[in-house]
Amino acid sequence: MNVKKKTVKRGLLPYVFLIVIMLGIFSLFSIMNQKEHVLNYNEFMDVVNDGDVSELTLIPRDRAKVYQVQGKLEGYKENEFFTARIPMSDEVIKRLVDASETQEFTFITEEDPESSSLLLILVNVLPIVLVVGAAFFLVSKQLAGNKSSMEFGKSKARLSSDKNKVTFKDVAGLKEEKEEVSELIDFLKNPKRFQKLGARIPKGVLLFGPPGTGKTLLARAVAGEANVPFYYISGSDFVELFVGVGASRVRDMFQQAKRTAPCLIFIDEIDAVGRQRGTGLGGGHDEREQTLNQLLTEMDGFGENEGIIIIAATNRPDVLDPALLRPGRFDRQVTVSLPDVKGREEILRVHARNKVLKENVTLEHIAKRTPGYSGADLENLLNEAALLAVRRNKDAIGMSEIDEASDRVLMGPAKTSKKYSENDRKLVAYHESGHAVLGIKLSNASTVHKVTIIPRGGAGGYNMMLPSEEKICSTKTDLLEQITGLLAGRVAEEVVFGEVTTGAENDFSKATKIARSMVTEYGMSDLGPMQLEQQEGSVFLGRDYNKSRNFSNEVAHEIDIEMRKIIEACYENARKIIKENRKLLDLIANTLLEYETLTKEQIDYLVEHGKMPEENEETTLEEMSITKLKELAKEKGVKGYSKMSKAELLQELDK
């Protein structure tokens, strides 16, 4: 609180000086605009005797034994006045008093200003104070500007505080990664334990992995667990327009760290400064390369930086300079990958601490439905579910909110205002039912967790098909059945309507990529176990730019033939399964037209009993059919309910 008050006072001081200076300038201009007439004693007495005086002020000057006279004459303008000096005597005063009574002009007598010490100070000292204050203000501003220019090459690394402290308890799903970095903390706390056996602690630890997996959070946890100074900076804070500034900041950062060693330095997004030198489409970048050279020297050069450990994080380790990754600099490289099902459950428990969940919400079930989600994705999922619960005036977050939040994260919000014809709804229902049938009938295919015909994003509907178990490697059968499942939507359209639509565009794109990878990368074709293509990334584009081709035009023709054989075989297999299970296809499609969304539990019940489970008091609005929802809307007096979609009915009934 005191710091804030001091800051406010310092901020107001320049404005106070400015106002005082402006007032002084205005008073000076007003004085300069006045016109003064100086009269001697005789001239003054003449104008008094002639009756020309309209206003008179008498100011005694005791030290000089005279009166200072100031007044106005008839015909003077507002800015005109006269002054005179007359002897200090009673006779003169009497003559002036008599003249004022006979001529009836204003006569004022004031005290000697020199007798007032305060007024004397104001008149004589205040101008000097103003001038000195203005000069001091200007000089201080100039010195401040020079100081900031001198600090241009200073490090922007900030020292971590205990506020919002993060510990390993707040980091879930990274058991092995925490063990790797916990050695750093143990060494800083008890270095003799390691030095006893001749062990040298790594000078640098590089954390890399997909975005949102918790690399920065892990570094913050190291700061929270360690009882040593922790500096943190972004890689982009080093790079500046002027060459040499980045290198200067690196030197200054290590100088600061040496004063507080042992300590930790965390560099986030190090690829901003650590990219490979002398490569890329646009040539080198002199400033960045000088900064990188200085960083390499400080980490492992002639100078020793004892007790300083560097932790860095990046999403693109492939673009980093090899000299940065060699032993002696970043000795240890830790991959922070996407969490598995157990890790996702632990992460959900951390983010669900401050959430109010219903009793039917099972975090284990949510973890199984979210393969490929990072920690940031899971946190966003629960936050979106909480926002939906508030929007729906719920007291707790239920599975319906989590399902909707998952759909929003993957596909975007439901387009309830977009109207589709009944024919379009039927086409989409059979298309999505085709995917569902293949997911049910193929043993190695992904499990159908949800199917809906509610449009989201650019899709008229979608299938949430997740693997039954998470695998490190996929077999040839797995890939073929994935392609078969992707083609099932087009096959269902062709079998039922004898016509095809553009709705399978995304399915074809995915199926073609899998088939080409099988032929050119995985060696799963008659061309044999050869890798004919491999991805090549440009280090400055940050993404796959092209593929290297290690084959002739004749082999390229054979690749096309093999891809076509795979696609056609999967297409025919999908057609066979769809025709054999036409009744199941019709059942799922008609149920979709009635309910618009089916969950895994509902699909399993539908396949086993041939009908949906009976609706009871525990059935939520989202699980009810459109017919039942319209009956409820009629009871509540909702206008236009007969023409509403299920999503619109849910919105009206939630009100």
Side-chain angles (χ1 to χ4, degrees):
M1 188 65 71
N2 294 332
V3 175
K4 187 175 181 181
K5 289 182 178 179
K6 290 180 180 179
T7 306
V8 172
K9 289 180 180 178
R10 290 177 182 175
L12 290 176
L13 192 60
Y15 296 102
V16 172
F17 272 118
L18 183 62
I19 292 172
V20 173
I21 293 172
M22 292 180 66
L23 290 174
I25 294 173
F26 287 142
S27 62
L28 181 62
F29 273 114
S30 63
I31 293 173
M32 292 175 62
N33 289 332
Q34 292 181 352
K35 190 174 182 181
E36 180 183 2
H37 302 278
V38 181
L39 306 178
N40 57 33
Y41 175 72
N42 293 328
E43 290 173 340
F44 169 68
M45 295 308 297
D46 288 341
V47 295
V48 171
N49 294 331
D50 293 341
D52 295 335
V53 177
S54 62
E55 182 181 322
L56 192 65
T57 302
L58 195 66
I59 305 172
R61 301 289 186 182
D62 294 336
R63 291 184 180 181
K65 302 299 182 182
V66 295
Y67 287 108
Q68 179 74 32
V69 181
Q70 183 175 325
K72 287 181 175 291
L73 300 179
E74 297 290 344
Y76 270 19
K77 296 180 180 178
E78 187 177 353
N79 62 338
E80 282 187 286
F81 65 94
F82 71 86
T83 59
R85 295 171 72 87
I86 62 176
M88 186 179 288
S89 67
D90 294 337
E91 183 182 352
V92 174
I93 295 298
K94 186 176 182 303
R95 290 178 63 181
L96 292 177
V97 171
D98 293 340
S100 66
E101 291 177 355
T102 57
Q103 298 174 17
E104 296 182 352
F105 62 81
T106 304
F107 181 66
I108 303 171
T109 303
E110 295 182 354
E111 294 182 358
D112 185 2
E114 295 181 357
S115 63
S116 174
S117 58
L118 179 60
L119 186 60
L120 183 64
I121 293 173
L122 290 175
V123 172
N124 295 294
V125 179
L126 185 60
I128 299 174
V129 173
L130 291 177
V131 173
V132 173
F136 176 77
F137 173 70
L138 294 174
V139 171
S140 62
K141 291 292 289 183
Q142 185 68 26
L143 290 175
N146 291 335
K147 184 179 180 182
S148 62
S149 64
M150 294 298 292
E151 292 181 351
F152 193 64
K154 297 293 184 181
S155 170
K156 292 186 178 182
R158 295 169 293 278
L159 189 62
S160 178
S161 63
D162 292 335
K163 188 178 181 181
N164 299 326
K165 188 176 180 180
V166 177
T167 63
F168 282 158
K169 294 180 181 179
D170 302 308
V171 182
L174 299 175
K175 182 179 178 181
E176 293 79 8
E177 290 82 354
K178 285 189 288 188
E179 290 177 356
E180 289 289 318
V181 296
S182 62
E183 282 187 3
L184 306 179
I185 301 171
D186 294 339
F187 176 82
L188 293 171
K189 290 181 178 179
N190 187 14
K192 293 182 180 179
R193 176 188 170 195
F194 294 85
Q195 294 170 354
K196 184 178 180 180
L197 298 179
R200 177 184 60 81
I201 200 67
K203 292 185 177 181
V205 177
L206 180 66
L207 306 176
F208 62 88
T213 50
K215 299 182 293 296
T216 304
L217 182 66
L218 186 60
R220 289 180 61 192
V222 173
E225 295 285 343
N227 293 322
V228 296
F230 184 90
Y231 296 90
Y232 61 97
I233 190 172
S234 173
S236 60
D237 287 335
F238 293 112
V239 183
E240 284 287 352
L241 174 65
F242 305 106
V243 176
V245 174
S248 176
R249 290 179 176 175
V250 172
R251 287 191 296 270
D252 186 67
M253 179 181 70
F254 277 89
Q255 287 175 2
Q256 291 182 30
K258 286 177 184 177
R259 299 189 195 106
T260 56
C263 64
L264 295 168
I265 298 176
F266 174 61
I267 305 176
D268 200 7
E269 305 297 344
I270 194 174
D271 53 281
V273 69
R275 289 176 181 264
Q276 293 182 22
R277 293 166 289 181
T279 58
L281 298 178
H285 187 294
D286 201 26
E287 159 64 358
R288 195 193 70 245
E289 291 189 3
Q290 284 198 23
T291 306
L292 175 58
N293 291 337
Q294 187 63 44
L295 182 61
L296 295 174
T297 304
E298 293 289 347
M299 290 189 69
D300 187 27
F302 280 102
E304 290 291 334
N305 290 317
E306 293 292 340
I308 301 176
I309 299 175
I310 310 294
I311 303 176
T314 181
N315 302 326
R316 293 296 308 270
D318 56 309
V319 306
L320 296 179
D321 195 277
L324 198 62
L325 303 177
R326 74 161 175 80
R329 289 186 177 127
F330 282 108
D331 308 81
R332 184 170 297 177
Q333 300 173 24
V334 180
T335 303
V336 185
S337 55
L338 294 171
D340 57 9
V341 62
K342 184 179 179 181
R344 290 195 298 273
E345 184 179 351
E346 293 176 0
I347 293 171
L348 286 169
R349 293 191 186 282
V350 170
H351 294 303
R353 289 174 183 171
N354 61 340
K355 305 288 191 303
V356 181
L357 303 177
K358 288 185 178 180
E359 295 180 357
N360 64 338
V361 175
T362 307
L363 297 180
E364 182 181 359
H365 178 62
I366 300 173
K368 291 180 179 179
R369 293 185 52 185
T370 51
Y373 276 54
S374 65
D377 293 331
L378 294 171
E379 189 276 334
N380 186 46
L381 174 66
L382 291 182
N383 185 62
E384 286 288 341
L387 293 174
L388 282 170
V390 173
R391 195 179 305 168
R392 294 174 177 178
N393 298 319
K394 299 288 184 69
D395 296 328
I397 303 171
M399 281 304 299
S400 60
E401 284 77 33
I402 293 176
D403 286 339
E404 175 66 19
S406 178
D407 295 341
R408 282 172 173 266
V409 171
L410 291 174
M411 303 290 293
K415 296 186 176 181
T416 57
S417 60
K418 199 168 185 178
K419 299 296 181 182
Y420 287 91
S421 65
E422 194 60 33
N423 185 51
D424 286 339
R425 290 182 75 247
K426 194 172 182 181
L427 276 169
V428 173
Y430 271 97
H431 181 100
E432 302 302 333
S433 299
H435 292 303
V437 169
L438 268 293
I440 294 169
K441 294 300 178 181
L442 293 177
S443 58
N444 293 323
S446 299
T447 305
V448 181
H449 278 258
K450 186 177 184 179
V451 57
T452 179
I453 58 173
I454 298 176
R456 291 179 183 271
Y462 79 97
N463 250 287
M464 182 187 290
M465 301 182 70
L466 305 175
S468 55
E469 59 180 4
E470 297 182 28
K471 299 179 181 178
I472 298 176
C473 299
S474 298
T475 64
K476 182 177 180 180
T477 303
D478 293 337
L479 297 176
L480 290 174
E481 292 194 355
Q482 284 184 35
I483 297 173
T484 305
L486 289 168
L487 298 175
R490 165 60 68 87
V491 172
E493 295 173 4
E494 188 176 346
V495 169
V496 176
F497 302 100
E499 186 65 88
V500 293
T501 68
T502 59
E505 176 189 3
N506 189 44
D507 299 331
F508 291 161
S509 175
K510 293 178 181 178
T512 305
K513 287 181 180 178
I514 296 173
R516 187 169 189 88
S517 296
M518 289 176 66
V519 176
T520 61
E521 296 180 42
Y522 308 143
M524 295 179 178
S525 70
D526 293 340
L527 294 180
M530 295 186 297
Q531 189 178 54
L532 302 173
E533 287 181 347
Q534 63 182 15
Q535 302 289 344
E536 283 193 350
S538 172
V539 296
F540 286 103
L541 289 179
R543 63 182 65 186
D544 294 331
Y545 186 60
N546 53 16
K547 287 185 177 182
S548 63
R549 296 180 47 172
N550 300 320
F551 49 83
S552 62
N553 292 333
E554 289 77 8
V555 176
H557 179 65
E558 293 182 20
I559 291 173
D560 294 339
I561 294 174
E562 291 297 321
M563 287 174 58
R564 188 176 294 110
K565 284 168 59 178
I566 292 173
I567 297 293
E568 288 178 352
C570 292
Y571 196 88
E572 290 302 319
N573 189 26
R575 185 196 300 274
K576 176 183 176 183
I577 296 173
I578 289 292
K579 287 184 175 180
E580 291 175 352
N581 297 275
R582 176 62 188 272
K583 291 183 178 180
L584 179 60
L585 177 70
D586 293 336
L587 176 63
I588 296 176
N590 292 328
T591 308
L592 264 179
L593 291 171
E594 181 68 15
Y595 286 81
E596 289 193 343
T597 300
L598 297 176
T599 63
K600 181 180 183 300
E601 293 75 15
Q602 290 173 327
I603 293 173
D604 292 341
Y605 190 93
L606 188 65
V607 172
E608 184 177 353
H609 299 89
K611 63 178 182 177
M612 289 289 287
E614 296 292 334
E615 296 175 356
N616 51 46
E617 295 180 356
E618 296 181 357
T619 304
T620 63
L621 292 175
E622 289 79 4
E623 295 173 345
M624 291 182 180
S625 64
I626 293 181
T627 304
K628 184 64 176 179
L629 289 174
K630 287 183 177 180
E631 292 177 0
L632 290 175
K634 183 179 180 181
E635 293 176 4
K636 292 188 176 184
V638 177
K639 296 181 180 180
Y641 68 89
S642 59
K643 297 182 180 180
M644 290 183 180
S645 64
K646 183 175 182 179
E648 291 172 324
L649 288 168
L650 289 173
Q651 286 184 352
E652 292 295 327
L653 292 172
D654 280 336
K655 295 179 181 179

